[in-house]
Amino acid sequence: MISPEVAGSEAPTALSVIEAIRRRRSIRRYRSDPIPESVLGELLEMTRLAPSGCNAQPWRFVVVRDEATRARLAEACTFVARRSGEVYPQRWIAGAPVVVVAWGFERDAGAIYVREGQAIVADGAEAAEDARHMGVGFQSGLLIDLAIAFDHLALAATALGLGTCWIAGLNEPKVKEVLGIPAEARAPLAMTLGYPAEWPGPRPRKQLSGIVFYDRYS
Ligand SMILES: Cc1cc2nc3c(=O)[nH]c(=O)nc-3n(C[C@H](O)[C@H](O)[C@H](O)COP(=O)(O)O)c2cc1C
């Protein structure tokens, strides 16, 4: 079902962030209408304004509009079910007029590692070097930062009447190869963008009572 507010309204008044959070759905069927340059520009600007650990802004984005490249990218977006080993293609992705891939270098992000139980904040390159000397692992903030930027993108897109779907089910080396992203970078997330040809109902969420604890976990 297409939402009456969304169908045929290419330049809607932007929803509030609260309305956008309530309205957002994962959209997997899109109309072929292109996204106007001004709308795409605004969405990327909202993405750019996202916060990041240490304000490192380690993100980069490839905005894929070219049809042939979208088809190749969609072919690279497969995931495997652990139990059955079955490979699931996500060819529907090629039907979105724009697919954005978020990528970056772990060394460019803030990072956290633990020394004697205490979290140490460092930049990615420092953390990698310290962790190598100390023989401990470290956690790059890259994935967190990319996810925050993408949530800005998803909510801003919803506010302007577009649909989105997060994509983490992908073959990262293949995605990097299709888009010319360096092999040593990470490219863990994609997001489809376009005017929706469906507007599904809300997917279930857990009750607050099962996930929120005041003052102390009990
Ligand atoms: C990090 C992340 C990765 C996701 N990866 C995929 C994906 O690869 N393919 C897909 O169809 N949906 C993907 N989704 C969409 C989720 O399935 C969807 O958000 C969830 O079922 C809730 O539905 P809703 O977004 O409509 O509320 C992903 C969502 C998130 C947040």
Side-chain angles (χ1 to χ4, degrees):
M1 182 187 69
I2 301 172
S3 149
E5 293 91 333
V6 169
S9 57
E10 310 239 326
T13 314
L15 303 177
S16 74
V17 69
I18 301 285
E19 290 168 325
I21 289 169
R22 288 200 183 278
R23 176 151 316 179
R24 190 208 54 78
R25 306 277 185 271
S26 288
I27 300 297
R28 299 181 179 90
R29 287 199 319 117
Y30 293 90
R31 287 156 41 195
S32 56
D33 317 40
I35 303 175
E37 285 292 329
S38 58
V39 172
L40 189 56
E42 178 72 351
L43 295 180
L44 295 171
E45 175 64 5
M46 295 303 103
T47 307
R48 186 181 75 88
L49 296 179
S52 57
C54 307
N55 201 19
Q57 305 167 61
W59 43 59
R60 298 168 197 216
F61 305 96
V62 179
V63 180
V64 183
R65 293 183 288 193
D66 174 69
E67 194 176 344
T69 311
R70 276 190 283 129
R72 291 183 64 215
L73 180 58
E75 289 295 326
C77 291
T78 52
F79 61 90
V80 176
R82 180 180 176 273
R83 289 197 188 154
S84 63
E86 203 174 328
V87 180
Y88 287 86
Q90 303 206 76
R91 294 197 189 91
W92 62 268
I93 290 170
V98 173
V99 186
V100 182
V101 171
W103 67 280
F105 295 97
E106 290 196 324
R107 61 172 184 261
D108 288 344
I112 288 185
Y113 62 94
V114 176
R115 190 165 59 204
E116 293 169 4
Q118 175 64 58
I120 310 287
V121 174
D123 74 35
E126 290 167 345
E129 194 184 325
D130 292 355
R132 201 168 39 246
H133 286 146
M134 295 161 54
V136 297
F138 75 99
Q139 193 187 335
S140 165
L142 180 67
L143 190 54
I144 296 171
D145 294 341
L146 295 183
I148 295 168
F150 256 14
D151 214 37
H152 274 216
L153 177 60
L155 294 178
T158 309
L160 294 181
L162 282 90
T164 61
C165 189
W166 288 75
I167 307 293
L170 47 77
N171 182 313
E172 216 177 306
K174 284 189 186 159
V175 166
K176 288 190 279 192
E177 190 194 320
V178 169
L179 302 182
I181 295 170
E184 68 274 22
R186 295 292 318 273
L189 290 173
M191 183 166 284
T192 52
L193 275 180
Y195 291 99
E198 62 174 3
W199 203 267
R203 275 80 186 215
R205 293 293 191 267
K206 295 177 180 173
Q207 295 296 314
L208 274 183
S209 58
I211 57 174
V212 176
F213 307 91
Y214 288 99
D215 300 323
R216 193 177 157 79
Y217 174 59
S218 58

